[in-house]
Amino acid sequence: MSSLLPFALVMSISPLGWLGLTLLFIILLLLLLWLLVEWQYRGRAGNRLELSQGDWNLEIREPEHFQLIGEFTALNQTRKLDIFLTEVTADLTLLSNDSLMDVTHQIAIASQHPDAPGRPDNYWEAYIVKGGRSTTLEIKLDIKGKNLGDLRVAWVKVNYVTYGPGGRVPKVRHCTIPLQFPEIDSAERWRPTANSDVLAIRTHLLSVLDTPVEVLRRYVTPHARPGDIVTIGESPLAIMQGRMRHPSDVKPGWLARRLCYYFLPTSSLATACGLQVLVDEAGAWRIAYAFMLGAIAKALFRTPGMFYVLAGGQARLIDDVTGTLPPYDQFIVLGPLRAQAVVDEILAETGLEAAIVDVNDLKAVSILAATPGVSNEFLNQALLHNPAGNAAEQTPIVLIRPN
């Protein structure tokens, strides 16, 4: 008798009940199908075609004529998808110590496809880049004026459009090319501290075209002696590593738009874009978790700053817009990566003990990485008064000579 009970229950369901169960089954099936498609979509590559940072050369440097040539590689980072490179244009912004009223410029873009000739009329013809393949292009800048000696920097914005499974996606590659290189200062201006003498060293405006070791060889080696210690600011190192994002490339999400209001107005996380950069770096779940526990620690236990501990090192290192020198004042600059590897390389290549530091005018010294022969206490005393400055000194390197 008991074996017939399930059959009896099934037979007792009314036609309307069967219709409801059928609809519920269909809804669950459609939901499962939607979740499957969404899961697969989130794993899709999309329009993963990126333009390289560019390799720039100053071909002509005359009193009234500069010519810069940049070579770029457009790499399709997907394995099987065809991505179209449909548009390439460029804009130039010049930074100078004098007026630019009489300075003019021309921009020419030439494709260098492996299987198609370029056009002489500066028109970019849409081109298909196969999966895993690449193509190249050249940008030529001609700058003319009565006296170009005051030009400091050329800021080139390469605008390009990818077209493919992700739709039409505009992108920008920002390039900063220094045009002015300071001479090695023979009149060394050492400043005494309690345990050392320090020398702030001026450089050209650093960019992704530079490496720390090359910069040190050019500007520090003429001043250095055995036993000296060299420090590099964390933001200049991050800039050399390309660790910066323009706000136009940042898409603030739900979390960043809401949580940014809870940070102090002076914080680099008090804007939706600034906080979104951290979310992209650390992950949304970690930032949400850090914010909730940080708020609890501050409200119940009077312990501020837990958010920065839980969110990771980048939370304290991000500099929002206006945080660095022009033209980087238009960018959000993250903290550097592989800081310990950088100082180890400096020691191996130059013989100088080295450190990556974050120093400000509030007598706060943060040491991100240092070689074994460097004492944190010694660095704190030597850098306490921020000899590199906190404005437009353009002295990202400090040489320290122990007493």
Side-chain angles (χ1 to χ4, degrees):
M1 184 69 179
S2 60
S3 62
L4 298 176
L5 184 59
F7 177 75
L9 290 174
V10 170
M11 293 301 294
S12 66
I13 299 176
S14 66
L16 288 176
W18 277 111
L19 179 61
L21 287 174
T22 302
L23 289 175
L24 179 61
F25 175 77
I26 293 173
I27 291 172
L28 290 175
L29 185 62
L30 291 174
L31 179 61
L32 181 62
L33 181 62
W34 177 81
L35 289 173
L36 178 62
V37 171
E38 181 66 17
W39 176 75
Q40 288 185 325
Y41 170 76
R42 290 179 180 272
R44 303 289 190 190
N47 292 7
R48 287 184 56 201
L49 184 145
E50 299 293 337
L51 207 60
S52 68
Q53 296 283 357
D55 183 14
W56 288 90
N57 291 299
L58 185 57
E59 298 291 331
I60 299 175
R61 186 186 182 99
E62 299 174 351
E64 297 185 358
H65 182 203
F66 283 5
Q67 185 182 86
L68 294 96
I69 296 180
E71 295 183 354
F72 294 81
T73 299
L75 174 63
N76 183 347
Q77 298 176 352
T78 72
R79 294 179 58 188
K80 299 179 180 179
L81 301 176
D82 287 354
I83 307 298
F84 300 68
L85 186 57
T86 59
E87 297 177 31
V88 180
T89 60
D91 300 315
L92 174 64
T93 300
L94 295 172
L95 280 71
S96 175
N97 295 326
D98 201 355
S99 170
L100 295 172
M101 184 175 297
D102 296 323
V103 177
T104 61
H105 67 266
Q106 290 183 328
I107 302 175
I109 301 174
S111 62
Q112 297 180 338
H113 304 313
D115 55 357
R119 295 175 60 105
D121 59 2
N122 207 31
Y123 175 81
W124 182 268
E125 191 170 353
Y127 182 77
I128 300 175
V129 185
K130 297 289 185 181
R133 303 291 183 86
S134 65
T135 189
T136 58
L137 61 99
E138 179 185 272
I139 297 179
K140 183 184 295 184
L141 307 177
D142 273 295
I143 306 169
K144 295 183 179 181
K146 291 183 179 180
N147 185 5
L148 304 181
D150 288 321
L151 289 182
R152 293 179 55 244
V153 177
W155 175 15
V156 182
K157 305 171 193 175
V158 185
N159 311 289
Y160 63 107
V161 176
T162 64
Y163 180 80
R168 184 182 183 276
V169 182
K171 299 183 179 183
V172 182
R173 171 61 70 196
H174 296 271
C175 309
T176 306
I177 307 107
L179 302 176
Q180 197 175 93
F181 296 85
E183 297 292 335
I184 304 301
D185 191 357
S186 58
E188 300 179 351
R189 297 176 179 85
W190 291 88
R191 293 163 54 184
T193 71
N195 59 359
S196 63
D197 292 326
V198 297
L199 176 65
I201 296 180
R202 182 176 172 81
T203 70
H204 62 273
L205 189 73
L206 302 177
S207 72
V208 293
L209 303 175
D210 299 297
T211 66
V213 169
E214 290 174 353
V215 172
L216 294 183
R217 283 176 174 160
R218 178 170 191 164
Y219 293 105
V220 177
T221 300
H223 303 288
R225 297 177 184 174
D228 287 352
I229 300 167
V230 64
T231 67
I232 303 177
E234 52 92 13
S235 289
L237 175 58
I239 287 170
M240 285 188 278
Q241 294 178 340
R243 299 271 294 161
M244 55 188 182
R245 295 179 62 182
H246 195 273
S248 62
D249 300 327
V250 180
K251 308 301 179 187
W254 186 94
L255 192 68
R257 288 185 180 277
R258 284 151 182 81
L259 297 191
C260 68
Y261 287 98
Y262 293 93
F263 292 89
L264 292 174
T266 54
S267 169
S268 290
L269 306 180
T271 65
C273 288
L275 185 54
Q276 184 61 46
V277 168
L278 179 61
V279 170
D280 293 341
E281 192 77 7
W285 287 108
R286 181 175 183 178
I287 298 306
Y289 162 81
F291 181 82
M292 288 188 293
L293 291 190
I296 293 171
K298 186 175 182 179
L300 299 183
F301 304 104
R302 308 294 183 187
T303 306
M306 283 303 298
F307 169 83
Y308 294 94
V309 174
L310 298 172
Q314 288 294 328
R316 292 186 182 276
L317 297 177
I318 290 176
D319 284 325
D320 203 355
V321 168
T322 74
T324 46
L325 288 172
Y328 302 123
D329 63 320
Q330 303 290 329
F331 292 80
I332 303 165
V333 180
L334 292 84
L337 295 177
R338 304 177 299 279
Q340 188 61 50
V342 171
V343 294
D344 291 342
E345 182 186 12
I346 291 172
L347 177 59
E349 295 292 330
T350 68
L352 292 171
E353 300 285 352
I356 307 302
V357 298
D358 182 14
V359 186
N360 60 37
D361 284 342
L362 302 178
K363 297 185 178 182
V365 179
S366 176
I367 302 165
L368 278 63
T371 48
V374 179
S375 160
N376 286 2
E377 181 180 355
F378 174 83
L379 282 182
N380 270 281
Q381 289 197 3
L383 301 175
L384 189 64
H385 296 286
N386 193 13
N390 208 43
E393 292 86 353
Q394 206 169 303
T395 50
I397 301 170
V398 174
L399 188 61
I400 304 173
R401 182 163 296 164
N403 291 335

